[in-house]
Amino acid sequence: MKKIIVTLAVCLLAFAAFELRAQSQDLPTLTSAQYASMKKDDVYVIMFSFEGCPPCKLAKSKGNIIRSLVAKYASDPQVHVYVFPVDQDTPAPDGTRLNKRLGVERFPTFVVLSNDTDHLSDSAPLSGYSPDKRANLEKKIVETVSRVK
């Protein structure tokens, strides 16, 4: 009986991990190399994430902030929303990495870029995520995008 319970628990954990990974894979992603060739006067909402980061997984999960922002700006050709998985990044042709250039060291970190400037954070990147802070964070991002556009 104990073996059956352990086997079921392992299966459930594996399924949960698979489901979170599947949810993350359908989000638009970005690398340093891709960003280097993009039009800089458009607005880019980017969430820097890391595979092993629980708050990152939460922010990308169904019904959370990054999915809401993708849906909100889907019809706006000037605003692009991306997840930037730093552990899967490809450097720009000159060898630079966007997260390093912007000083991103904690995850998740949210930025709103236009003309290569982060307009969201005043002096340091905006890091961290929890569901109780989602409304304020999303409001700040939306207001920043409106101001920059």
Side-chain angles (χ1 to χ4, degrees):
M1 182 69 165
K2 187 175 180 181
K3 283 184 179 182
I4 292 172
I5 292 173
V6 169
T7 303
L8 285 173
V10 169
C11 288
L12 286 173
L13 286 173
F15 178 74
F18 174 77
E19 184 66 22
L20 279 174
R21 184 177 303 269
Q23 288 179 8
S24 298
Q25 289 176 346
D26 65 339
L27 290 168
T29 60
L30 183 67
T31 66
S32 295
Q34 291 167 326
Y35 179 76
S37 65
M38 294 175 136
K39 194 173 149 187
K40 300 301 186 254
D41 57 346
D42 279 355
V43 179
Y44 297 91
V45 177
I46 303 171
M47 182 186 95
F48 291 89
S49 70
F50 189 78
E51 180 67 29
C53 165
C56 298
K57 290 177 184 176
L58 184 59
K60 295 186 285 186
S61 66
K62 193 172 187 175
N64 269 302
I65 189 166
I66 201 68
R67 290 180 182 284
S68 174
L69 293 167
V70 166
K72 179 172 184 59
Y73 294 111
S75 62
D76 190 331
Q78 291 180 307
V79 181
H80 314 278
V81 180
Y82 292 103
V83 173
F84 190 106
V86 296
D87 49 328
Q88 300 168 14
D89 186 28
T90 304
D94 65 359
T96 61
R97 293 184 183 269
L98 186 59
N99 60 306
K100 297 292 184 190
R101 189 166 58 82
L102 294 173
V104 173
E105 296 176 355
R106 296 179 54 211
F107 306 102
T109 292
F110 298 86
V111 299
V112 175
L113 295 178
S114 181
N115 294 315
D116 264 349
T117 302
D118 180 6
H119 297 275
L120 182 60
S121 60
D122 298 328
S123 59
L126 188 60
S127 300
Y129 180 78
S130 64
D132 59 324
K133 295 181 181 178
R134 175 191 169 175
N136 288 338
L137 177 59
E138 191 165 347
K139 180 181 176 191
K140 188 172 184 178
I141 290 170
V142 169
E143 287 173 351
T144 303
V145 168
S146 294
R147 181 173 41 85
V148 172
K149 232 172 99 175

